Amino acid sequence: MEIIERTIKSEKVYSGKILSVKLSTVELPDQKYSKREIVLHDNAVAVVAIHDDKILLVKQYRISVDKIIYEVPAGMIEHDENPKDAALRELEEETGYRAKNIEYLTEFYSTPGFCTEKLSIFYAKDLEFVGQNLDEGENLEVVEMPLEETMSMIESGEIMDGKTISSILFYDKFSRGK
């Protein structure tokens, strides 16, 4: 049996600063119909940055979950910007560190059940502090943490951000020491 859904019609029902939402009517493989709500979100980057054998994390309050959480430096790719340049820019803006070496690790969809966002993950090393340049309204604290402590925080559930967990585990499994 074919598993593809065919879009019959689609309309944008919301347009905001960083995302839009469209409501689509789809025909299912069994020829029945259903509705799909899709969040249209620009692609983004995340960076596993290593400084003095420690991972740089940002600690910030996220109103959507009403918690202070730990995340790897990350942000959206700007129009006409390539992912590598976005990763370098976000790392510097959020942490104040400029990377002399940055490598592409992987990419994945953050939540493909309802969102178009694709994340490109990078590994940065040989960092030089040049000064933080946060976006307006951005409030965060930079934390340097040994990989082992970061892994313990993932295991205990203290780190709950999906991109951070995926990025660090991917780095540890496939890139560390290469």
Side-chain angles (χ1 to χ4, degrees), residues 55-166:
I55 293 180
L56 295 181
L57 297 174
V58 294
K59 184 177 170 182
Q60 62 186 327
Y61 174 77
R62 292 294 195 179
I63 196 162
S64 59
V65 293
D66 192 25
K67 290 183 181 186
I68 294 173
I69 64 173
Y70 292 91
E71 300 177 48
V72 291
M76 291 189 298
I77 300 171
E78 294 178 358
H79 183 66
D80 290 334
E81 186 177 38
N82 70 55
K84 183 178 179 179
D85 288 342
L88 289 165
R89 177 183 49 76
E90 286 292 342
L91 175 65
E92 188 172 323
E93 283 177 7
E94 291 190 358
T95 69
Y97 284 94
R98 182 174 293 150
K100 293 178 184 168
N101 291 301
I102 190 163
E103 298 172 23
Y104 169 85
L105 292 180
T106 191
E107 61 188 17
F108 57 85
Y109 292 104
S110 61
T111 48
F114 66 88
C115 185
T116 61
E117 179 187 51
K118 182 171 62 174
L119 283 153
S120 297
I121 310 304
F122 291 86
Y123 159 54
K125 61 183 180 180
D126 302 325
L127 306 181
E128 171 189 18
F129 189 76
V130 295
Q132 216 174 20
N133 185 23
L134 297 174
D135 289 335
E136 186 177 327
E138 197 169 31
N139 298 293
L140 55 84
E141 176 186 339
V142 179
V143 179
E144 295 187 33
M145 193 174 297
L147 177 63
E148 297 74 27
E149 185 178 344
T150 307
M151 296 295 271
S152 294
M153 291 174 70
I154 290 171
E155 187 176 8
S156 71
E158 189 173 353
I159 292 178
M160 296 183 69
D161 174 58
K163 74 180 170 306
T164 298
I165 294 168
S166 299

Side-chain angles (χ1 to χ4, degrees), residues 11-93:
E11 76 175 289
K12 196 176 283 187
V13 295
Y14 173 79
S15 236
K17 182 179 172 187
I18 65 165
L19 61 85
S20 297
V21 178
K22 72 178 179 180
L23 179 61
S24 297
T25 302
V26 298
E27 181 180 8
L28 304 173
D30 64 2
Q31 297 175 336
K32 292 182 180 174
Y33 296 91
S34 190
K35 299 282 187 186
R36 300 287 185 249
E37 298 166 338
I38 302 167
V39 174
L40 306 171
H41 192 283
D42 288 342
N43 293 334
V45 294
V47 184
V48 178
I50 307 299
H51 180 252
D52 292 337
D53 294 323
K54 294 179 180 169
I55 293 180
L56 295 181
L57 297 174
V58 294
K59 184 177 170 182
Q60 62 186 327
Y61 174 77
R62 292 294 195 179
I63 196 162
S64 59
V65 293
D66 192 25
K67 290 183 181 186
I68 294 173
I69 64 173
Y70 292 91
E71 300 177 48
V72 291
M76 291 189 298
I77 300 171
E78 294 178 358
H79 183 66
D80 290 334
E81 186 177 38
N82 70 55
K84 183 178 179 179
D85 288 342
L88 289 165
R89 177 183 49 76
E90 286 292 342
L91 175 65
E92 188 172 323
E93 283 177 7

